[in-house]
Amino acid sequence: MDDFTPRPGRLVEWTAGADAAAMVAAASLDPSPPSYSQKFHIGWHQANMAGGVRPSSWLTAVFDLPGRLDATAMAAALESWVRRHPTLLTWFQLDDGRPQRYAIRPADFSLRPAVLGTFDAGADIRDRLQEQFDSRIDPLTWPPFVVAGIERADSATMLFAVDHTHTDGYSLIQIFREVRDLYEAELAGTSAGLPEVGSYVDYCASEVARASEISSDSSAVGTWLKFAQACGGTPPGFPLDLGLPPGGRAPGVSYTMELFDAAEADAFNAACLRAGARFSGGLLATLGIANQRLAGEDDYRGLMTLHTRTEPRWLVAQGWFTNLVPVQFPVAGHRRFGDLLPKAQLAILRAAKLNDIPFHWIAQILAEKMNLLSDPRSVVPMTSYIDLRRAPASKDFEAARFQVIAGHSEFDEVFIWINRDWHRTTFTAVHPDTTVARQNVHRYAELVRSVLREVAHNGDAPLAQ
């Protein structure tokens, strides 16, 4: 959020206002259980609060719309959008420490615009929005979102902050197309024609039912156990020092670097295809090379995010449709990127077979043997790759200045997102804000970029420098 400085304008929020209390009072108990990600997120939030730290549990989609904003038409579009995604009409309360879901009746839900003031400085708008997001969004409150807009004569900037309990990165990406189309349909008096969509609330119930069929003696649990044992009983972390004392954490900071442009990405992809692999396999092979060069690690081990939108009804649904899977492959004994690449791709394919089983359920099964979730205040480190070109309306992202931003939390590890769009591929890391972590994360990213570009330009790269 610190890097977000919008153009000045009039700040508007769409809110249920005083009606929110009545909506909550009329809400009903929903028997649908939380997903395993939701349950973990609530525990993480509560553990940090108990430790005196209020974490920012929200993620925000930001984009511009052309022309002067019609706030009333936008209110109608937002009401349609929220009703389209039932998870946004739910929240959780703790019953003897266990999260219980409650649901607002869709017919009771409404929004109205409220002007918060005109601001001459973008930094003042940012600070006001961050205060709004941090003070009002958490997994045990309804509504679990704040929607705001910055009005100007020639354009408007829309912001959708949603608690992570009800969204993920790809869900945020889809907000742009859906809200834009619904808003334009309101202005034109037509239908937006959006595809049918399922409910994440239903997904949660099906996930818990599937997980209940997994026993501790299943082959999948055995695979996870071997992986965890190879990692020393804890999740695999960043290979370099982060400048933290044992058990220490620090406020997180984000660092983004452009890895290569569209032409270089295409060339890198072609090199991967020639070796019978894919772009994602090439990325992990490169991380394996970086770990070996900088930290001497002979094997790559990491947790990778994969989406769980395995049915058509989930494809454009709002919710937390991701899972963590274990990826490992040998790096030592290979001479070049092209030799290592098939091993990395095979490791991803093997890991994908475990994607049906929620990571947090696995951690619960293995809790007596392994410490995969040793500190409830911490988040498990992971690596994510998203090809944004597959998202609806992705060719409009650049003109709309679409972006995803997050708030402040404390971390003890590094989280990596590699995103490819129509113009560039970027490396983003969130890490503890220490001098040592900054130096080592930047050094790591620079080496990753160097190897990727060498493959893009030469078709291959050596493992050793």
Side-chain angles (χ1 to χ4, degrees):
M1 191 72 172
D2 291 342
D3 298 328
F4 174 66
T5 305
R7 291 170 55 204
R10 187 171 76 160
L11 185 60
V12 179
E13 181 186 348
W14 288 265
T15 174
D19 293 342
M23 294 179 202
V24 169
S28 58
L29 187 67
D30 188 315
S32 302
S35 71
Y36 284 97
S37 291
Q38 287 182 321
K39 187 176 179 180
F40 167 78
H41 180 73
I42 292 169
W44 166 82
H45 186 271
Q46 293 300 103
N48 277 277
M49 293 288 284
V53 176
R54 183 181 178 89
S56 297
S57 63
W58 46 266
L59 301 170
T60 305
V62 184
F63 58 86
D64 288 351
L65 292 173
R68 185 177 293 276
L69 187 70
D70 184 327
T72 302
M74 180 57 75
L78 293 171
E79 289 174 3
S80 297
W81 177 69
V82 171
R83 292 192 187 104
R84 176 175 163 81
H85 300 289
T87 187
L88 299 173
L89 292 172
T90 72
W91 82 101
F92 294 93
Q93 293 182 7
L94 296 181
D95 182 3
D96 287 334
R98 301 180 63 179
Q100 174 64 60
R101 189 189 301 270
Y102 288 81
I104 301 291
R105 292 196 298 254
D108 292 344
F109 175 70
S110 63
L111 291 172
R112 63 177 64 90
V115 177
L116 302 183
T118 299
F119 294 79
D120 296 326
D124 292 338
I125 296 178
R126 177 196 63 215
D127 294 344
R128 176 67 180 272
L129 288 170
Q130 180 154 335
E131 187 277 328
Q132 294 278 89
F133 298 167
D134 283 342
S135 64
R136 290 170 44 195
I137 298 176
D138 76 47
L140 302 180
T141 299
W142 192 87
F145 56 85
V146 173
V147 184
I150 307 167
E151 295 180 325
R152 311 177 196 90
D154 61 342
S155 67
T157 299
M158 297 296 302
L159 299 99
F160 297 79
V162 185
D163 191 272
H164 202 342
T165 317
H166 304 278
T167 195
D168 60 16
Y170 192 72
S171 294
L172 288 169
I173 290 167
Q174 298 188 84
I175 291 176
F176 168 63
R177 190 278 296 266
E178 290 200 349
V179 171
R180 183 191 64 174
D181 288 4
L182 287 166
Y183 174 63
E184 291 178 350
E186 286 293 334
L187 293 177
T190 60
S191 170
L194 296 177
E196 292 187 10
V197 64
S199 168
Y200 182 60
V201 178
D202 294 339
Y203 172 89
C204 295
S206 65
E207 179 193 77
V208 172
R210 288 196 315 272
S212 67
E213 300 174 358
I214 304 299
S215 64
S216 59
D217 59 356
S218 72
S219 60
V221 173
T223 300
W224 266 107
L225 179 59
K226 291 178 182 178
F227 176 81
Q229 288 172 334
C231 297
T234 59
F238 190 67
L240 302 176
D241 184 23
L242 298 175
L244 295 171
R249 301 189 304 161
V253 65
S254 176
Y255 172 71
T256 297
M257 167 186 284
E258 182 174 324
L259 296 174
F260 38 41
D261 61 25
E264 289 170 318
D266 287 342
F268 177 80
N269 187 57
C272 294
L273 292 175
R274 286 194 296 271
R278 303 173 68 177
F279 198 91
S280 57
L283 292 176
L284 285 197
T286 302
L287 298 185
I289 293 173
N291 289 10
Q292 207 278 334
R293 286 190 189 180
L294 294 176
E297 295 188 355
D298 290 339
D299 298 280
Y300 175 84
R301 295 187 183 91
L303 296 177
M304 183 178 187
T305 60
L306 294 180
H307 76 79
T308 57
R309 300 173 187 267
T310 54
E311 298 181 34
R313 57 178 170 156
W314 312 135
L315 291 180
V316 294
Q318 284 289 313
W320 197 336
F321 291 93
T322 62
N323 192 23
L324 294 174
V325 294
V327 179
Q328 60 180 339
F329 54 90
V331 178
H334 299 87
R335 297 183 58 191
R336 305 191 66 80
F337 171 87
D339 304 326
L340 180 62
L341 181 54
K343 302 290 180 60
Q345 191 65 56
L346 180 61
I348 294 176
L349 295 175
R350 287 174 175 166
K353 295 179 180 179
L354 301 173
N355 199 30
D356 267 351
I357 308 172
F359 165 77
H360 295 101
W361 174 239
I362 289 291
Q364 187 174 321
I365 292 176
L366 298 179
E368 294 182 0
K369 301 177 181 179
M370 297 290 157
N371 241 338
L372 292 176
L373 297 173
S374 57
D375 186 343
R377 303 170 304 161
S378 297
V379 181
V380 178
M382 58 82 190
T383 297
S384 168
Y385 166 63
I386 298 180
D387 188 342
L388 298 174
R389 301 172 305 165
R390 298 180 180 178
S394 62
K395 289 189 176 181
D396 298 333
F397 286 174
E398 188 92 351
R401 295 199 275 191
F402 175 84
Q403 60 179 309
V404 172
I405 57 179
H408 296 284
S409 296
E410 291 190 347
F411 297 108
D412 58 3
E413 262 298 345
V414 179
F415 309 84
I416 296 173
W417 291 265
I418 299 175
N419 295 325
R420 182 183 182 187
D421 63 27
W422 295 100
H423 305 284
R424 63 192 63 83
T425 300
T426 58
F427 174 106
T428 296
V430 172
H431 61 83
D433 191 8
T434 69
T435 300
V436 172
R438 283 179 179 267
Q439 293 172 344
N440 281 336
V441 169
H442 293 195
R443 183 161 63 107
Y444 187 86
E446 288 167 0
L447 177 55
V448 168
R449 179 173 63 179
S450 175
V451 174
L452 290 173
R453 287 185 171 179
E454 184 168 359
V455 173
H457 290 279
N458 301 324
D460 207 348
L463 258 68
Q465 288 179 302

